[in-house]
Every structure is written in structure tokens, then in C-alpha cells.
Amino acid sequence: MDDSRAWIPSRIPEVRRRRLTAHPDERGEFSELWRASWLPPGVPPFVQSNLSRSRAGVLRGMHFHRRQWDLWVVVSGSALAAVADVRPLLDGSAGRPSVETHALAAGDALLIPPHVAHGFHAPEEMALVYFVSAEYDGSDEHGFRWDDPDAAIDWPAGEHVVSDRDRANPSLHEAVARLRG
């Protein structure tokens, strides 16, 4: 069965979202997190899976990769995910990236291509499983400040728990200049 049509495209090319199908019974429920056949043509196979747990108020991001696809699956709680397409900036276009946010609940999946920065805010305790198309070695980790005005991401107001690494990220345009240089 071709289930690829269950992906909902976003305004940002190649970013897609889908709702997973839960199969409940008296014992609980079962959900498939991903199938290779669900992936659009051109997405390389996933080679690593990770689990991220976040407390309420945590904000992670903005991170991106040159070669890696990510598939996020929220398994508990909820998140406000943000994606920012830096591809036009890398090609020399001036201005701001295309940015959008997605309210994700348990059972939602988000497919993120290379050069699309991503991050999330956890309004409540949450767990995220993410599949990646390249094993982690640190050489393909890039990022910019989560609150960069040139990205203008509409994060929830209030205090956020942000890592030292995310707080120290360069501006969007500094990050792009490093990759172009």
C-alpha cells in the first residue's frame, strides 16, 4: 500500500508532516513510526535513531546539517517545532529564510531535509524520537541563535531553558557566511 500520500507538504520545499496511525486495543496501542516506503524519492535511508526527552520550557535549536535528513516523531507530550530554510541564503540570496512553525502532538511526524534549520519548544514534558540519514560524528552540525531577529521565529513568550551551546550559536548570517566561506 502506497502511504506516501499521507504526507502533508509545507510551504518549505521537502519539509513534510504526517499524523501516524494508532491501533489501540485493551492492552494499549501500537503505531508504526516510519516505513522506508513512506519516504519520498531521494531521501537516503535512515542509519541512526535517537531519543530526546525535554522538560517543560526547554527550547532546542536552531540546528541544521548539510548532508543529513531528519525524521522527528513526537512520542509523548507536545512541541512547537520551527523550521527555517537556509538554502536560498547559501545560494547567495539576501534577506530572511522562509520560516514556519508546526504544533506537534504525540503521534505527529516531521520530515526535515538538509539545510533546513530546525528546533523546538516543549510547552510540557515531551519525548521525541528522531531518525537521521547520517551517523553522528559532529562534522555536520551547524546552527544559529534560536532568537535571531533575521529568522524572526515566533516562539512562545516567557522564559526558556536553553543549552549553553544553543545560547552561544552565531547569528544566522554568520552561520551562513561560515558555510559559504
Side-chain angles (χ1 to χ4, degrees):
M1 175 174 129
D2 177 19
D3 205 20
S4 62
R5 66 186 176 284
W7 287 107
I8 301 165
S10 76
R11 293 184 327 261
I12 296 176
E14 299 178 301
V15 172
R16 293 176 172 88
R17 182 178 171 177
R18 74 179 295 134
R19 181 83 184 143
L20 301 178
T21 301
H23 304 280
D25 66 20
E26 65 279 356
R27 301 167 295 165
E29 75 178 31
F30 169 84
S31 296
E32 293 178 341
L33 299 183
W34 76 277
R35 285 183 179 209
S37 63
W38 291 352
L39 299 179
V43 177
F46 293 121
V47 297
Q48 183 175 326
S49 179
N50 305 296
L51 172 63
S52 171
R53 295 185 187 275
S54 297
R55 295 185 178 128
V58 165
L59 194 148
R60 298 181 189 258
M62 294 296 286
H63 309 124
F64 63 96
H65 314 280
R66 291 175 302 186
R67 300 175 298 274
Q68 177 178 299
W69 285 78
D70 285 41
L71 174 64
W72 288 3
V73 178
V74 177
V75 294
S76 67
S78 63
L80 178 69
V83 289
D85 191 354
V86 299
R87 292 173 287 193
L89 302 176
L90 290 168
D91 291 339
S93 297
R96 296 178 178 207
S98 294
V99 172
E100 60 186 28
T101 58
H102 298 269
L104 302 177
D108 286 335
L110 187 66
L111 182 64
I112 307 163
H115 293 116
V116 173
H118 43 277
F120 66 84
H121 174 262
E124 61 184 329
E125 200 169 286
M126 58 92 66
L128 175 77
V129 171
Y130 61 102
F131 301 89
V132 294
S133 64
E135 290 185 7
Y136 179 81
D137 68 7
S139 67
D140 194 24
E141 292 290 312
H142 308 281
F144 62 86
R145 285 188 56 89
W146 63 275
D147 58 352
D148 189 296
D150 287 325
I153 298 167
D154 190 18
W155 295 113
E159 293 295 315
H160 305 294
V161 180
V162 179
S163 72
D164 290 340
R165 178 184 117 172
D166 288 348
R167 196 174 291 108
N169 272 341
S171 73
L172 167 64
H173 290 289
E174 288 171 325
V176 168
R178 288 179 187 174
L179 282 176
R180 291 176 70 201

